[in-house]
Amino acid sequence: QKEVEQDPGPLSVPEGAIVSLNCTYSNSAFQYFMWYRQYSRKGPELLMYTYSSGNKEDGRFTAQVDKSSKYISLFIRDSQPSDSATYLCAMSAGGGGADGLTFGKGTHLIIQP
Amino acid sequence: DSGVTQTPKHLITATGQRVTLRCSPRSGDLSVYWYQQSLDQGLQFLIQYYNGEERAKGNILERFSAQQFPDLHSELNLSSLELGDSALYFCASTLGTVNYGYTFGSGTRLTVV
């Protein structure tokens, strides 16, 4: 079992829909959780980060972490064609750089105009 | 432009050869991280440097090495290249030693033939 599991998709939804992206993980030591967006031929771009359990909202994006279930989610409201990209979850046990980030393989999201 | 500069953008080389990938971090950032992205493994943490010193090692092969210079740019050296080393190699930087909130470069696409 990989440490972080993420459905590769593709996930195709119409413009304006609410998108739900998810990751599960097995390492209970993970405390820092991030979502990155990666466009084709570009480097990943940080969207959200949260520490421990709870919700965090930033504009159209909401990140949720449920440590008891080892499950994290990213919600995108009012989805736009420009949101079409690969979304990567990432996590780590410490913030001090001792272990790098463990990434999911990414979900390919397509927003249909 | 993220502020993290990677060169070259593309590299094609033969098995058994050695190559050097270069990364200039965002202005003011002291930490540099190297990641490898392949279709089957996703993004894998290789190594981290902070202000010239190695801080953390991930899944980096013995054939690979890196260093960070006094001007804070970093180089990743890949030797005795194999077909399986073909991948995207990303550099990321942060101000300090925390490993979330990275800024990624656009990557170097390495093809080993």
Side-chain angles (χ1 to χ4, degrees), chain B residues 37-99:
Chain B
Q37 187 175 40
S38 61
L39 281 175
D40 55 340
Q41 294 293 323
L43 264 168
Q44 299 277 308
F45 170 61
L46 296 178
I47 198 163
Q48 179 205 4
Y49 279 83
Y50 173 75
N51 204 21
E53 299 290 326
E54 182 185 305
R55 281 294 299 255
K57 260 186 175 178
N59 300 321
I60 188 165
L61 299 173
E62 284 191 11
R63 300 183 285 110
F64 296 1
S65 65
Q67 54 185 326
Q68 187 179 27
F69 294 88
D71 67 352
L72 301 177
H73 91 271
S74 178
E75 293 180 355
L76 179 67
N77 301 296
L78 314 177
S79 61
S80 303
L81 284 167
E82 302 174 359
L83 295 178
D85 297 327
S86 296
L88 268 168
Y89 290 84
F90 285 105
C91 165
S93 72
T94 60
L95 174 61
T97 57
V98 291
N99 63 7

Short mmCIF file of all heavy atoms in Angstrom, two decimals, chain B residues 37-99:
data_model
loop_
_atom_site.label_atom_id
_atom_site.label_comp_id
_atom_site.label_asym_id
_atom_site.label_seq_id
_atom_site.Cartn_x
_atom_site.Cartn_y
_atom_site.Cartn_z
N GLN B 37 9.82 13.50 -10.93
CA GLN B 37 8.44 13.16 -11.25
C GLN B 37 8.40 12.22 -12.45
O GLN B 37 8.82 12.58 -13.55
CB GLN B 37 7.60 14.41 -11.54
CG GLN B 37 6.12 14.11 -11.71
CD GLN B 37 5.28 15.37 -11.89
OE1 GLN B 37 5.67 16.31 -12.56
NE2 GLN B 37 4.10 15.40 -11.27
N SER B 38 7.90 11.03 -12.22
CA SER B 38 7.72 10.06 -13.30
C SER B 38 6.27 9.61 -13.31
O SER B 38 5.56 9.78 -12.31
CB SER B 38 8.66 8.86 -13.14
OG SER B 38 8.37 8.19 -11.92
N LEU B 39 5.84 9.05 -14.44
CA LEU B 39 4.44 8.64 -14.57
C LEU B 39 4.06 7.57 -13.56
O LEU B 39 2.97 7.61 -12.98
CB LEU B 39 4.17 8.14 -15.99
CG LEU B 39 3.98 9.23 -17.04
CD1 LEU B 39 3.84 8.63 -18.42
CD2 LEU B 39 2.77 10.11 -16.70
N ASP B 40 4.97 6.62 -13.31
CA ASP B 40 4.60 5.51 -12.44
C ASP B 40 4.81 5.82 -10.96
O ASP B 40 4.09 5.29 -10.12
CB ASP B 40 5.36 4.23 -12.83
CG ASP B 40 6.86 4.43 -12.84
OD1 ASP B 40 7.29 5.60 -12.93
OD2 ASP B 40 7.59 3.44 -12.77
N GLN B 41 5.76 6.69 -10.63
CA GLN B 41 6.06 6.96 -9.21
C GLN B 41 5.50 8.29 -8.70
O GLN B 41 5.47 8.53 -7.51
CB GLN B 41 7.58 6.95 -8.98
CG GLN B 41 8.23 5.59 -9.20
CD GLN B 41 7.78 4.59 -8.15
OE1 GLN B 41 7.58 4.93 -6.99
NE2 GLN B 41 7.59 3.35 -8.56
N GLY B 42 5.10 9.17 -9.59
CA GLY B 42 4.67 10.48 -9.14
C GLY B 42 5.86 11.32 -8.70
O GLY B 42 7.00 11.05 -9.08
N LEU B 43 5.62 12.32 -7.87
CA LEU B 43 6.67 13.20 -7.38
C LEU B 43 7.37 12.56 -6.19
O LEU B 43 6.75 12.26 -5.18
CB LEU B 43 6.09 14.54 -6.94
CG LEU B 43 6.11 15.68 -7.93
CD1 LEU B 43 5.23 16.82 -7.45
CD2 LEU B 43 7.52 16.19 -8.15
N GLN B 44 8.69 12.38 -6.31
CA GLN B 44 9.47 11.75 -5.26
C GLN B 44 10.54 12.72 -4.77
O GLN B 44 11.30 13.28 -5.57
CB GLN B 44 10.15 10.49 -5.79
CG GLN B 44 9.21 9.41 -6.29
CD GLN B 44 8.68 8.54 -5.17
OE1 GLN B 44 9.44 8.00 -4.37
NE2 GLN B 44 7.38 8.40 -5.10
N PHE B 45 10.61 12.89 -3.44
CA PHE B 45 11.61 13.76 -2.84
C PHE B 45 12.99 13.13 -2.96
O PHE B 45 13.18 11.96 -2.62
CB PHE B 45 11.24 13.99 -1.37
CG PHE B 45 12.30 14.66 -0.55
CD1 PHE B 45 12.74 15.94 -0.87
CD2 PHE B 45 12.85 14.03 0.56
CE1 PHE B 45 13.70 16.57 -0.10
CE2 PHE B 45 13.81 14.65 1.33
CZ PHE B 45 14.25 15.92 0.99
N LEU B 46 13.95 13.93 -3.43
CA LEU B 46 15.31 13.42 -3.58
C LEU B 46 16.22 13.93 -2.46
O LEU B 46 16.83 13.16 -1.72
CB LEU B 46 15.89 13.82 -4.93
CG LEU B 46 15.21 13.24 -6.16
CD1 LEU B 46 15.85 13.76 -7.45
CD2 LEU B 46 15.23 11.72 -6.12
N ILE B 47 16.33 15.27 -2.34
CA ILE B 47 17.29 15.82 -1.40
C ILE B 47 16.97 17.29 -1.14
O ILE B 47 16.36 17.96 -1.97
CB ILE B 47 18.73 15.65 -1.95
CG1 ILE B 47 19.77 15.81 -0.85
CG2 ILE B 47 18.99 16.57 -3.13
CD1 ILE B 47 21.14 15.26 -1.23
N GLN B 48 17.38 17.78 0.05
CA GLN B 48 17.20 19.17 0.43
C GLN B 48 18.53 19.78 0.88
O GLN B 48 19.29 19.13 1.60
CB GLN B 48 16.21 19.32 1.57
CG GLN B 48 16.00 20.74 2.03
CD GLN B 48 15.52 20.89 3.48
OE1 GLN B 48 15.39 19.90 4.19
NE2 GLN B 48 15.27 22.11 3.89
N TYR B 49 18.78 21.02 0.47
CA TYR B 49 19.92 21.79 0.96
C TYR B 49 19.40 23.08 1.59
O TYR B 49 18.42 23.67 1.12
CB TYR B 49 20.88 22.14 -0.18
CG TYR B 49 21.79 21.00 -0.50
CD1 TYR B 49 21.37 19.97 -1.34
CD2 TYR B 49 23.06 20.92 0.05
CE1 TYR B 49 22.20 18.90 -1.62
CE2 TYR B 49 23.91 19.85 -0.23
CZ TYR B 49 23.46 18.85 -1.06
OH TYR B 49 24.29 17.78 -1.33
N TYR B 50 20.07 23.48 2.66
CA TYR B 50 19.76 24.75 3.31
C TYR B 50 21.05 25.53 3.49
O TYR B 50 21.96 25.06 4.18
CB TYR B 50 19.07 24.54 4.66
CG TYR B 50 18.87 25.81 5.44
CD1 TYR B 50 17.88 26.73 5.08
CD2 TYR B 50 19.69 26.12 6.53
CE1 TYR B 50 17.71 27.90 5.78
CE2 TYR B 50 19.53 27.31 7.23
CZ TYR B 50 18.53 28.18 6.85
OH TYR B 50 18.36 29.35 7.54
N ASN B 51 21.13 26.66 2.84
CA ASN B 51 22.27 27.58 2.98
C ASN B 51 23.61 26.85 2.80
O ASN B 51 24.55 27.06 3.56
CB ASN B 51 22.23 28.26 4.35
CG ASN B 51 22.98 29.57 4.34
OD1 ASN B 51 23.21 30.19 3.30
ND2 ASN B 51 23.38 30.01 5.52
N GLY B 52 23.64 25.96 1.81
CA GLY B 52 24.87 25.28 1.46
C GLY B 52 25.08 23.92 2.10
O GLY B 52 25.98 23.18 1.69
N GLU B 53 24.24 23.60 3.08
CA GLU B 53 24.42 22.33 3.79
C GLU B 53 23.29 21.35 3.44
O GLU B 53 22.13 21.74 3.36
CB GLU B 53 24.42 22.55 5.30
CG GLU B 53 25.51 23.47 5.81
CD GLU B 53 26.88 22.81 5.71
OE1 GLU B 53 26.96 21.58 5.88
OE2 GLU B 53 27.85 23.53 5.42
N GLU B 54 23.63 20.07 3.31
CA GLU B 54 22.61 19.06 3.09
C GLU B 54 21.77 18.91 4.35
O GLU B 54 22.31 18.76 5.45
CB GLU B 54 23.26 17.72 2.75
CG GLU B 54 22.27 16.60 2.46
CD GLU B 54 22.97 15.27 2.25
OE1 GLU B 54 23.86 15.19 1.38
OE2 GLU B 54 22.61 14.30 2.97
N ARG B 55 20.43 18.95 4.21
CA ARG B 55 19.55 18.88 5.38
C ARG B 55 18.73 17.60 5.43
O ARG B 55 18.40 17.13 6.52
CB ARG B 55 18.57 20.08 5.38
CG ARG B 55 19.19 21.37 5.86
CD ARG B 55 19.56 21.29 7.31
NE ARG B 55 18.39 21.03 8.13
CZ ARG B 55 17.81 21.94 8.88
NH1 ARG B 55 18.27 23.16 8.91
NH2 ARG B 55 16.75 21.63 9.61
N ALA B 56 18.36 17.08 4.29
CA ALA B 56 17.51 15.88 4.30
C ALA B 56 17.70 15.12 3.00
O ALA B 56 17.96 15.70 1.95
CB ALA B 56 16.04 16.26 4.47
N LYS B 57 17.60 13.81 3.12
CA LYS B 57 17.70 12.94 1.94
C LYS B 57 16.45 12.09 1.83
O LYS B 57 15.95 11.57 2.83
CB LYS B 57 18.90 12.01 2.08
CG LYS B 57 20.12 12.45 1.33
CD LYS B 57 21.20 11.38 1.41
CE LYS B 57 22.38 11.75 0.56
NZ LYS B 57 23.47 10.78 0.64
N GLY B 58 15.97 11.96 0.61
CA GLY B 58 14.84 11.08 0.35
C GLY B 58 15.28 9.88 -0.45
O GLY B 58 16.29 9.25 -0.15
N ASN B 59 14.53 9.59 -1.50
CA ASN B 59 14.81 8.41 -2.32
C ASN B 59 15.85 8.69 -3.39
O ASN B 59 15.63 8.42 -4.57
CB ASN B 59 13.52 7.92 -2.98
CG ASN B 59 12.47 7.54 -1.96
OD1 ASN B 59 12.78 6.95 -0.94
ND2 ASN B 59 11.23 7.90 -2.23
N ILE B 60 16.98 9.21 -3.00
CA ILE B 60 18.00 9.56 -3.99
C ILE B 60 18.96 8.40 -4.19
O ILE B 60 19.46 7.81 -3.22
CB ILE B 60 18.75 10.86 -3.57
CG1 ILE B 60 19.66 11.32 -4.71
CG2 ILE B 60 19.49 10.69 -2.25
CD1 ILE B 60 20.16 12.75 -4.55
N LEU B 61 19.18 8.03 -5.46
CA LEU B 61 20.07 6.93 -5.78
C LEU B 61 21.51 7.34 -5.52
O LEU B 61 21.87 8.52 -5.56
CB LEU B 61 19.90 6.54 -7.25
CG LEU B 61 18.51 6.07 -7.68
CD1 LEU B 61 18.44 5.89 -9.19
CD2 LEU B 61 18.13 4.78 -6.97
N GLU B 62 22.37 6.34 -5.31
CA GLU B 62 23.80 6.63 -5.08
C GLU B 62 24.45 7.22 -6.32
O GLU B 62 25.45 7.94 -6.22
CB GLU B 62 24.53 5.35 -4.67
CG GLU B 62 24.26 4.94 -3.23
CD GLU B 62 25.18 3.85 -2.76
OE1 GLU B 62 26.17 3.55 -3.46
OE2 GLU B 62 24.91 3.27 -1.70
N ARG B 63 23.87 6.96 -7.49
CA ARG B 63 24.41 7.52 -8.75
C ARG B 63 24.09 9.01 -8.88
O ARG B 63 24.59 9.69 -9.78
CB ARG B 63 23.79 6.79 -9.95
CG ARG B 63 24.06 5.31 -9.99
CD ARG B 63 23.48 4.68 -11.25
NE ARG B 63 22.04 4.54 -11.21
CZ ARG B 63 21.19 5.24 -11.94
NH1 ARG B 63 21.63 6.19 -12.77
NH2 ARG B 63 19.89 5.02 -11.88
N PHE B 64 23.24 9.51 -8.01
CA PHE B 64 22.84 10.93 -8.06
C PHE B 64 23.52 11.67 -6.90
O PHE B 64 23.65 11.14 -5.80
CB PHE B 64 21.34 11.07 -7.92
CG PHE B 64 20.52 10.47 -9.04
CD1 PHE B 64 21.09 9.82 -10.11
CD2 PHE B 64 19.13 10.55 -9.00
CE1 PHE B 64 20.33 9.26 -11.13
CE2 PHE B 64 18.35 10.01 -10.01
CZ PHE B 64 18.95 9.36 -11.06
N SER B 65 23.88 12.89 -7.13
CA SER B 65 24.42 13.73 -6.07
C SER B 65 24.01 15.17 -6.32
O SER B 65 23.61 15.52 -7.44
CB SER B 65 25.95 13.62 -6.00
OG SER B 65 26.52 14.15 -7.19
N ALA B 66 24.11 15.98 -5.30
CA ALA B 66 23.72 17.38 -5.44
C ALA B 66 24.62 18.23 -4.57
O ALA B 66 25.32 17.72 -3.68
CB ALA B 66 22.24 17.57 -5.06
N GLN B 67 24.60 19.52 -4.84
CA GLN B 67 25.28 20.46 -3.97
C GLN B 67 24.63 21.83 -4.12
O GLN B 67 23.96 22.10 -5.12
CB GLN B 67 26.77 20.53 -4.27
CG GLN B 67 27.15 20.82 -5.70
CD GLN B 67 28.66 20.75 -5.91
OE1 GLN B 67 29.44 21.10 -5.03
NE2 GLN B 67 29.10 20.30 -7.07
N GLN B 68 24.84 22.66 -3.10
CA GLN B 68 24.36 24.04 -3.14
C GLN B 68 25.57 24.93 -2.94
O GLN B 68 26.35 24.75 -2.00
CB GLN B 68 23.31 24.31 -2.06
CG GLN B 68 22.67 25.68 -2.17
CD GLN B 68 21.61 25.93 -1.11
OE1 GLN B 68 21.65 25.37 -0.03
NE2 GLN B 68 20.65 26.80 -1.41
N PHE B 69 25.70 25.89 -3.80
CA PHE B 69 26.87 26.75 -3.84
C PHE B 69 26.68 28.00 -2.98
O PHE B 69 25.56 28.31 -2.58
CB PHE B 69 27.17 27.11 -5.30
CG PHE B 69 27.59 25.92 -6.12
CD1 PHE B 69 26.63 25.12 -6.74
CD2 PHE B 69 28.92 25.57 -6.25
CE1 PHE B 69 26.99 24.01 -7.48
CE2 PHE B 69 29.29 24.47 -6.99
CZ PHE B 69 28.32 23.68 -7.60
N PRO B 70 27.78 28.75 -2.70
CA PRO B 70 27.66 29.96 -1.87
C PRO B 70 26.64 30.96 -2.39
O PRO B 70 26.05 31.70 -1.61
CB PRO B 70 29.08 30.52 -1.87
CG PRO B 70 29.95 29.32 -2.01
CD PRO B 70 29.20 28.40 -2.95
N ASP B 71 26.45 31.02 -3.71
CA ASP B 71 25.44 31.97 -4.23
C ASP B 71 24.04 31.38 -4.17
O ASP B 71 23.09 31.97 -4.68
CB ASP B 71 25.77 32.40 -5.66
CG ASP B 71 25.66 31.25 -6.66
OD1 ASP B 71 25.47 30.10 -6.23
OD2 ASP B 71 25.74 31.51 -7.87
N LEU B 72 23.90 30.21 -3.55
CA LEU B 72 22.66 29.48 -3.27
C LEU B 72 22.08 28.72 -4.46
O LEU B 72 21.09 28.00 -4.27
CB LEU B 72 21.58 30.41 -2.67
CG LEU B 72 22.00 31.08 -1.36
CD1 LEU B 72 20.89 32.03 -0.88
CD2 LEU B 72 22.30 30.05 -0.29
N HIS B 73 22.68 28.82 -5.62
CA HIS B 73 22.18 27.97 -6.69
C HIS B 73 22.58 26.53 -6.39
O HIS B 73 23.53 26.27 -5.63
CB HIS B 73 22.64 28.45 -8.07
CG HIS B 73 23.93 27.84 -8.55
ND1 HIS B 73 25.16 28.39 -8.29
CD2 HIS B 73 24.14 26.74 -9.31
CE1 HIS B 73 26.09 27.65 -8.86
NE2 HIS B 73 25.51 26.63 -9.48
N SER B 74 21.84 25.60 -6.97
CA SER B 74 22.09 24.19 -6.69
C SER B 74 22.24 23.43 -8.00
O SER B 74 21.69 23.82 -9.04
CB SER B 74 20.93 23.61 -5.87
OG SER B 74 21.12 22.23 -5.63
N GLU B 75 22.99 22.35 -7.94
CA GLU B 75 23.14 21.47 -9.08
C GLU B 75 22.86 20.03 -8.67
O GLU B 75 23.26 19.61 -7.57
CB GLU B 75 24.54 21.58 -9.68
CG GLU B 75 24.82 22.94 -10.30
CD GLU B 75 26.20 23.06 -10.90
OE1 GLU B 75 27.01 22.12 -10.77
OE2 GLU B 75 26.47 24.12 -11.51
N LEU B 76 22.15 19.33 -9.53
CA LEU B 76 21.87 17.91 -9.34
C LEU B 76 22.63 17.15 -10.41
O LEU B 76 22.45 17.41 -11.60
CB LEU B 76 20.37 17.64 -9.44
CG LEU B 76 19.91 16.18 -9.29
CD1 LEU B 76 20.15 15.70 -7.85
CD2 LEU B 76 18.43 16.05 -9.64
N ASN B 77 23.53 16.28 -9.98
CA ASN B 77 24.34 15.51 -10.90
C ASN B 77 23.81 14.08 -10.98
O ASN B 77 23.63 13.42 -9.96
CB ASN B 77 25.79 15.48 -10.42
CG ASN B 77 26.38 16.87 -10.32
OD1 ASN B 77 26.51 17.57 -11.32
ND2 ASN B 77 26.70 17.29 -9.11
N LEU B 78 23.56 13.63 -12.20
CA LEU B 78 23.04 12.29 -12.44
C LEU B 78 24.07 11.55 -13.28
O LEU B 78 24.43 12.02 -14.37
CB LEU B 78 21.70 12.35 -13.17
CG LEU B 78 20.66 13.36 -12.66
CD1 LEU B 78 19.42 13.35 -13.55
CD2 LEU B 78 20.28 13.06 -11.23
N SER B 79 24.56 10.42 -12.80
CA SER B 79 25.60 9.71 -13.54
C SER B 79 25.17 8.28 -13.85
O SER B 79 24.17 7.78 -13.31
CB SER B 79 26.89 9.70 -12.73
OG SER B 79 26.71 9.04 -11.50
N SER B 80 25.94 7.63 -14.74
CA SER B 80 25.64 6.25 -15.18
C SER B 80 24.16 6.10 -15.49
O SER B 80 23.48 5.21 -14.99
CB SER B 80 26.06 5.25 -14.09
OG SER B 80 27.43 5.39 -13.77
N LEU B 81 23.68 7.01 -16.31
CA LEU B 81 22.24 7.12 -16.55
C LEU B 81 21.66 5.85 -17.16
O LEU B 81 22.28 5.19 -18.00
CB LEU B 81 21.95 8.32 -17.45
CG LEU B 81 22.04 9.67 -16.72
CD1 LEU B 81 22.06 10.82 -17.72
CD2 LEU B 81 20.90 9.82 -15.74
N GLU B 82 20.45 5.54 -16.70
CA GLU B 82 19.69 4.38 -17.19
C GLU B 82 18.39 4.88 -17.80
O GLU B 82 17.95 6.02 -17.54
CB GLU B 82 19.40 3.43 -16.03
CG GLU B 82 20.65 2.94 -15.32
CD GLU B 82 20.32 2.11 -14.08
OE1 GLU B 82 19.12 1.95 -13.77
OE2 GLU B 82 21.27 1.63 -13.43
N LEU B 83 17.77 4.02 -18.62
CA LEU B 83 16.51 4.42 -19.26
C LEU B 83 15.48 4.85 -18.22
O LEU B 83 14.71 5.80 -18.43
CB LEU B 83 15.96 3.26 -20.10
CG LEU B 83 16.79 2.82 -21.29
CD1 LEU B 83 16.13 1.62 -21.98
CD2 LEU B 83 16.98 3.96 -22.28
N GLY B 84 15.47 4.17 -17.07
CA GLY B 84 14.50 4.47 -16.02
C GLY B 84 14.70 5.80 -15.33
O GLY B 84 13.85 6.21 -14.54
N ASP B 85 15.80 6.48 -15.62
CA ASP B 85 16.03 7.80 -15.04
C ASP B 85 15.30 8.89 -15.82
O ASP B 85 15.28 10.05 -15.40
CB ASP B 85 17.53 8.12 -15.01
CG ASP B 85 18.31 7.15 -14.13
OD1 ASP B 85 17.74 6.69 -13.11
OD2 ASP B 85 19.47 6.85 -14.46
N SER B 86 14.73 8.52 -16.96
CA SER B 86 13.96 9.49 -17.74
C SER B 86 12.79 9.97 -16.90
O SER B 86 11.98 9.17 -16.42
CB SER B 86 13.45 8.84 -19.03
OG SER B 86 14.52 8.46 -19.87
N ALA B 87 12.70 11.27 -16.72
CA ALA B 87 11.68 11.85 -15.84
C ALA B 87 11.77 13.36 -15.91
O ALA B 87 12.65 13.92 -16.56
CB ALA B 87 11.89 11.39 -14.39
N LEU B 88 10.83 14.01 -15.22
CA LEU B 88 10.90 15.44 -14.97
C LEU B 88 11.59 15.64 -13.64
O LEU B 88 11.24 15.00 -12.65
CB LEU B 88 9.50 16.05 -14.90
CG LEU B 88 8.88 16.60 -16.17
CD1 LEU B 88 7.41 16.87 -15.96
CD2 LEU B 88 9.59 17.87 -16.60
N TYR B 89 12.55 16.53 -13.60
CA TYR B 89 13.26 16.84 -12.36
C TYR B 89 12.93 18.28 -11.98
O TYR B 89 13.17 19.21 -12.74
CB TYR B 89 14.76 16.64 -12.52
CG TYR B 89 15.11 15.18 -12.66
CD1 TYR B 89 15.04 14.55 -13.89
CD2 TYR B 89 15.46 14.42 -11.54
CE1 TYR B 89 15.32 13.19 -14.02
CE2 TYR B 89 15.75 13.07 -11.66
CZ TYR B 89 15.67 12.47 -12.91
OH TYR B 89 15.94 11.13 -13.03
N PHE B 90 12.33 18.42 -10.78
CA PHE B 90 11.92 19.73 -10.31
C PHE B 90 12.80 20.18 -9.16
O PHE B 90 13.20 19.40 -8.30
CB PHE B 90 10.47 19.71 -9.82
CG PHE B 90 9.46 19.65 -10.92
CD1 PHE B 90 8.78 18.49 -11.21
CD2 PHE B 90 9.17 20.79 -11.66
CE1 PHE B 90 7.84 18.43 -12.21
CE2 PHE B 90 8.21 20.75 -12.67
CZ PHE B 90 7.56 19.58 -12.94
N CYS B 91 13.04 21.45 -9.14
CA CYS B 91 13.67 22.12 -8.03
C CYS B 91 12.62 23.01 -7.38
O CYS B 91 11.74 23.56 -8.08
CB CYS B 91 14.83 22.95 -8.57
SG CYS B 91 15.50 24.16 -7.47
N ALA B 92 12.65 23.13 -6.07
CA ALA B 92 11.76 24.03 -5.36
C ALA B 92 12.57 24.77 -4.31
O ALA B 92 13.64 24.31 -3.90
CB ALA B 92 10.62 23.25 -4.70
N SER B 93 12.07 25.92 -3.89
CA SER B 93 12.79 26.66 -2.86
C SER B 93 11.82 27.23 -1.83
O SER B 93 10.63 27.44 -2.10
CB SER B 93 13.63 27.79 -3.47
OG SER B 93 12.85 28.87 -3.95
N THR B 94 12.34 27.42 -0.62
CA THR B 94 11.62 28.10 0.45
C THR B 94 12.60 28.99 1.20
O THR B 94 13.81 28.82 1.11
CB THR B 94 11.01 27.11 1.47
OG1 THR B 94 12.06 26.33 2.05
CG2 THR B 94 9.99 26.19 0.84
N LEU B 95 12.04 29.91 1.98
CA LEU B 95 12.88 30.85 2.72
C LEU B 95 13.72 30.12 3.77
O LEU B 95 14.92 30.31 3.86
CB LEU B 95 12.00 31.90 3.39
CG LEU B 95 12.71 32.89 4.33
CD1 LEU B 95 13.76 33.68 3.56
CD2 LEU B 95 11.69 33.82 4.98
N GLY B 96 13.06 29.28 4.57
CA GLY B 96 13.75 28.64 5.67
C GLY B 96 13.84 27.14 5.48
O GLY B 96 14.00 26.65 4.37
N THR B 97 13.69 26.42 6.58
CA THR B 97 13.86 24.98 6.52
C THR B 97 12.54 24.21 6.55
O THR B 97 12.53 23.01 6.51
CB THR B 97 14.71 24.49 7.70
OG1 THR B 97 14.08 24.89 8.92
CG2 THR B 97 16.11 25.07 7.64
N VAL B 98 11.43 24.92 6.66
CA VAL B 98 10.15 24.21 6.65
C VAL B 98 9.88 23.68 5.26
O VAL B 98 10.24 24.31 4.26
CB VAL B 98 8.99 25.12 7.09
CG1 VAL B 98 9.10 25.45 8.55
CG2 VAL B 98 8.93 26.37 6.24
N ASN B 99 9.24 22.54 5.17
CA ASN B 99 9.08 21.90 3.87
C ASN B 99 7.66 21.96 3.35
O ASN B 99 7.23 21.10 2.63
CB ASN B 99 9.59 20.46 3.91
CG ASN B 99 8.78 19.60 4.88
OD1 ASN B 99 7.78 20.03 5.42
ND2 ASN B 99 9.23 18.39 5.08
#
